[in-house]
Every structure is written in structure tokens, then in C-alpha cells.
Amino acid sequence: MFLSLLMTVIFGILLGIIICIPIGPINLITIKLTTKNRRSDALFLALGGSVMDIVYFLVFLLGLSFVQFSLKTTMVFKLLGISFIFLLGLIEVIKYFKIVKLSNDDSKKDLEAVESKASGFLSFISGVVIYTSNPTLVASMSGLAAFVKSSGFVPMTLPFMILFSFFAGVGTFLWFVFLTGLVVRYKNKFNDQFMLKLNLAFGVLIMIVAIVMATKLILA
């Protein structure tokens, strides 16, 4: 029982961190708010996204708890989940070598208004809105939930699903605490080039993790 609890907590935190590493709208706004000495607002914004992670994971896991996977289907979902994690890392590596200019991203223009108005509770609501506006959210979260179910790390009972979902949200929030802390410490160096190099490092790390997971799955 204790081992299952521990695995659920660790798995939730790690997966929560991994899915937040690729640069997205919330990452960009939290960085910009922190560079303007508004770290608390940035964390409120991130908290809104983290709460939605908890909600979405729980909803999809509850839906999948009524579905029984065969061994073949379980293997497929495990491979898809690992492939998705690998792809997250690969995208960051490709971005680096293409030297993507984040400052030219048209979507950032729409986010400026949110950034300028965000404070306290409004930051939290902004985080929820930005998170739910992601057009790929349902597909990616349902796929990740299927991966979680097929992994075998999380028992498909209500207490464990709640526990996993909560700590996945904790993991995403911890990532933003780390990110904003990094911005505070290296504020003068925190430009687009620095972000590209940082995400390259994390991208490679994610790919390595995915390769290790795939190797263990194949050799199991």
C-alpha cells in the first residue's frame, strides 16, 4: 500500500513537470511577469494552469477507469505515452537548431493584454483561461491519461486517481516555481537565446528519459 502511494506521488510529480517544460503561453507570461518583478502574479497565473491539470487528469482518469485494457492495448498506450514524452523533448531540440525567434510569435501579441492586466486573483483566472484555450488540450490530456492507466503505476481507484491528479498539478506548479526562481536569479541573462539553450538541455533530458523508459518496456 505504501509503495503504491509513493509511486503514485512520484509518478504524478514527474509527469506534471515533464508536460510543462516545453515553452507555451503560460511559460512565456510567467517569465515576462517575473522579469518585471511580479513573481507572485506569475505564480498565481501558473497556479491556474496547475489546477486545471488536476481537473483534466482526474476527469480523463475517471472516464478510463471504466474501460478495461487488454495486454496488447496496454502495451500500445505505453509506447504512445513514451513516444509523446520523447516528442516533447525532440520538439525542443528542433526548435533550438532552427533558432526559433520567440519574440516574433504572433500569439504573444494577444497575451500582452493578459500580462499587463494580470494581478492576484485575475492572474489565477488568466491561467485557467489560457490553459483551457489550448486547441490540443483534450487530445494530449486524454492520451496522457491513457498512458497513466496503462503504466500500472497508479491503481485505478478513486483515492489513487485523486492522489495522482493532485500531485501532477503539484508537479506542474513546482516547475513554474523553479522557472520563476531561475528568472529571478539570472534575470539579466534571461533572453530568448538563453531560453532556447535551457529548453535544448531539458529537451535532451526528456528524450533520454523516454529512451530509458522504452528500453525498460522492451526488455521487461
Side-chain angles (χ1 to χ4, degrees):
M1 181 67 173
F2 175 75
L3 183 59
S4 295
L5 287 171
L6 184 62
M7 288 295 295
T8 299
V9 170
I10 294 175
F11 189 45
I13 291 175
L14 289 179
L15 192 59
I17 291 172
I18 287 174
I19 62 177
C20 280
I21 290 177
I23 293 179
I26 293 182
N27 296 63
L28 291 172
I29 297 177
T30 53
I31 290 170
K32 296 194 76 174
L33 286 173
T34 306
T35 58
K36 296 179 180 180
N37 299 316
R38 296 173 60 187
R39 188 186 183 191
S40 61
D41 291 336
L43 290 177
F44 270 112
L45 187 91
L47 182 61
S50 298
V51 168
M52 293 313 296
D53 269 327
I54 295 173
V55 172
Y56 273 88
F57 264 123
L58 185 56
V59 167
F60 283 112
L61 285 175
L62 283 171
L64 288 172
S65 66
F66 297 104
V67 180
Q68 294 299 319
F69 290 167
S70 66
L71 289 177
K72 185 176 180 180
T73 303
T74 298
M75 179 67 73
V76 169
F77 277 125
K78 284 182 179 180
L79 289 173
L80 286 175
I82 292 171
S83 299
F84 179 75
I85 293 172
F86 182 85
L87 183 61
L88 288 178
L90 182 61
I91 288 172
E92 297 310 313
V93 173
I94 292 174
K95 278 183 183 179
Y96 177 81
F97 287 107
K98 286 187 175 181
I99 316 178
V100 174
K101 300 296 183 181
L102 298 178
S103 59
N104 293 331
D105 187 353
D106 292 336
S107 64
K108 290 175 68 178
K109 296 178 182 177
D110 298 328
L111 298 176
E112 291 294 336
V114 175
E115 174 197 328
S116 61
K117 297 176 182 178
S119 62
F121 182 70
L122 288 178
S123 295
F124 177 84
I125 298 300
S126 297
V128 171
V129 172
I130 294 169
Y131 183 94
T132 54
S133 66
N134 184 345
T136 65
L137 181 64
V138 173
S140 60
M141 291 299 286
S142 59
L144 284 170
F147 169 61
V148 171
K149 176 180 171 63
S150 65
S151 70
F153 292 135
V154 182
M156 287 293 102
T157 61
L158 183 59
F160 277 97
M161 286 187 286
I162 292 174
L163 188 68
F164 169 82
S165 300
F166 174 77
F167 278 99
V170 169
T172 63
F173 187 70
L174 287 176
W175 163 254
F176 287 108
V177 171
F178 168 76
L179 181 62
T180 55
L182 204 62
V183 176
V184 170
R185 184 168 183 177
Y186 300 104
K187 189 180 298 184
N188 295 332
K189 298 180 180 179
F190 231 88
N191 51 35
D192 287 351
Q193 290 299 319
F194 181 81
M195 277 302 298
L196 284 173
K197 291 179 181 179
L198 182 65
N199 276 268
L200 172 65
F202 280 117
V204 172
L205 180 61
I206 291 173
M207 292 171 67
I208 292 173
V209 169
I211 291 172
V212 171
M213 291 173 68
T215 301
K216 288 185 176 180
L217 180 62
I218 293 171
L219 296 178

